Amino acid sequence: MTQELPEKRPEIVLALIAEKHYLIEGETHMNAMIMGNGPYPTPILLVRFPDPAKIEEVFGTDFDPGQHWRINERAIKRLHDEKAFLEIDA
């Protein structure tokens, strides 16, 4: 389900690329978000990239997902269950 972006950009941004979730922004909140052991800002913006060509369009030609933290799927499932995501398609 694609949702509308809020006026204020969320502090945590994840990208879903080739069925893998990467932390793009919000590293200071990463531990609390992943472990669920403290407060973290919500919603978390989850940008889905169904078309790989959009990655370059959004992040530029130098973007390398390998330079970003990959988020464990158990954490992603928990965040989905908690309805922490604001999901959009790129």
Side-chain angles (χ1 to χ4, degrees):
M1 180 174 140
T2 299
Q3 302 171 5
E4 294 293 318
L5 279 175
E7 287 183 30
K8 183 180 176 205
R9 182 181 174 137
E11 291 181 46
I12 303 174
V13 178
L14 300 180
L16 176 59
I17 302 169
E19 299 184 29
K20 296 178 178 111
H21 294 82
Y22 297 94
L23 180 68
I24 304 302
E25 293 179 12
E27 192 170 334
T28 57
H29 305 291
M30 188 171 62
N31 191 48
M33 177 188 68
I34 292 172
M35 303 302 290
N37 64 359
Y40 55 89
T42 57
I44 296 168
L45 180 59
L46 175 59
V47 183
R48 296 180 300 238
F49 287 89
D51 178 1
K54 289 279 190 182
I55 297 167
E56 190 173 297
E57 206 175 288
V58 171
F59 295 120
T61 56
D62 294 337
F63 180 76
D64 177 6
Q67 298 296 315
H68 297 271
W69 291 99
R70 185 166 165 216
I71 307 301
N72 180 290
E73 292 306 312
R74 287 179 298 209
I76 295 297
K77 181 183 180 332
R78 181 182 51 75
L79 293 166
H80 267 293
D81 292 346
E82 294 174 358
K83 299 182 180 358
F85 290 121
L86 171 64
E87 300 182 45
I88 64 169
D89 289 322

